[in-house]
Amino acid sequence: AQSVTQPDIHITVSEGASLELRCNYSYGATPYLFWYVQSPGQGLQLLLKYFSGDTLVQGIKGFEAEFKRSQSSFNLRKPSVHWSDAAEYFCAVGAYSGAGSYQLTFGKGTKLSVIP
Amino acid sequence: GAVVSQHPSWVICKSGTSVKIECRSLDFQATTMFWYRQFPKQSLMLMATSNEGSKATYEQGVEKDKFLINHASLTLSTLTVTSAHPEDSSFYICSGRPGLAGGGALYEQFFGPGTRLTVL
């Protein structure tokens, strides 16, 4: 079965600083990878996704992520963080379960705090 | 992007009552809908997967008689929490997947804004 690990529970950065959120996955084949952002009390918004092709993917709000097969990683980056980026970030892997159904498996999330 | 709505946004009910949560895909046909549960400061846990016109498939540990899911049309799925108890209090999020039949990418899901359930 697939799994997702986000090693950092909480990260604090200063506004304007760069950001990298880590994500590692476990899956036997090439997975479909996603990053979502969740503001308090809200649903999930898709930041970016990787299905195939170029391993560096661009998303909304200035985010990008790089798929590294050798490291089973899909880290999220942003060169300059804005105060409005403070939220919870979830990495997810889409894959087929043992029962043959396609589903998303989420990491536990990383809470991002931004210092003005 | 595709839009999914949920109603109500939040609900408070007494223990022992039943609560229905609606999930609608507003501008696409969701051949598959998913229901997730999220506890405070935790990740989303998949509860069940439903395909339009079929019975839902529940994840291990989820009581199908307690969490009734109906996916009667391509734009509407409902989750009914029957005989709710305080331990059912949680944030419930649905998502819809168009799939190839729905004209969308097979592997994309679009999430609703969530429903906060509080059982007193």
Side-chain angles (χ1 to χ4, degrees), chain A residues 26-45:
Chain A
S26 173
Y27 184 58
T30 300
Y32 303 102
L33 297 163
F34 306 83
W35 273 101
Y36 291 90
V37 61
Q38 184 182 36
S39 297
Q42 302 295 314
L44 274 70
Q45 180 181 23

Side-chain angles (χ1 to χ4, degrees), chain B residues 2-4 23-34 50-52 71-77 95-106 108-110:
Chain B
V3 180
V4 175
C23 175
R24 294 182 183 272
S25 55
L26 299 184
D27 52 3
F28 70 98
Q29 293 184 322
T31 54
T32 305
M33 283 188 167
F34 304 84
S50 70
N51 292 299
E52 184 263 340
H71 190 173
S73 78
L74 287 171
T75 59
L76 173 65
S77 176
S95 71
R97 178 158 66 95
L100 293 176
L106 179 63
E108 290 199 64
Q109 291 181 30
F110 302 96

Side-chain angles (χ1 to χ4, degrees), chain A residues 32 34 36 38 41-46 49 51 88 90 94 96 99 101-109 111, chain B residues 32 34 36 38 41-46 49 57 59 91 93 97 105-114 116:
Chain A
Y32 303 102
F34 306 83
Y36 291 90
Q38 184 182 36
Q42 302 295 314
L44 274 70
Q45 180 181 23
L46 179 67
K49 59 184 182 287
F51 290 167
E88 189 91 22
F90 292 97
Y96 284 92
S101 63
Y102 173 83
Q103 59 187 231
L104 287 180
T105 300
F106 289 86
K108 293 187 180 300
K111 181 178 180 180
Chain B
T32 305
F34 304 84
Y36 297 84
Q38 186 180 30
K41 300 183 180 181
Q42 294 192 26
S43 188
L44 282 74
M45 299 301 296
L46 179 65
T49 302
T57 301
E59 294 301 300
F91 193 54
I93 302 176
R97 178 158 66 95
L106 179 63
Y107 303 109
E108 290 199 64
Q109 291 181 30
F110 302 96
F111 287 83
R116 173 75 58 193

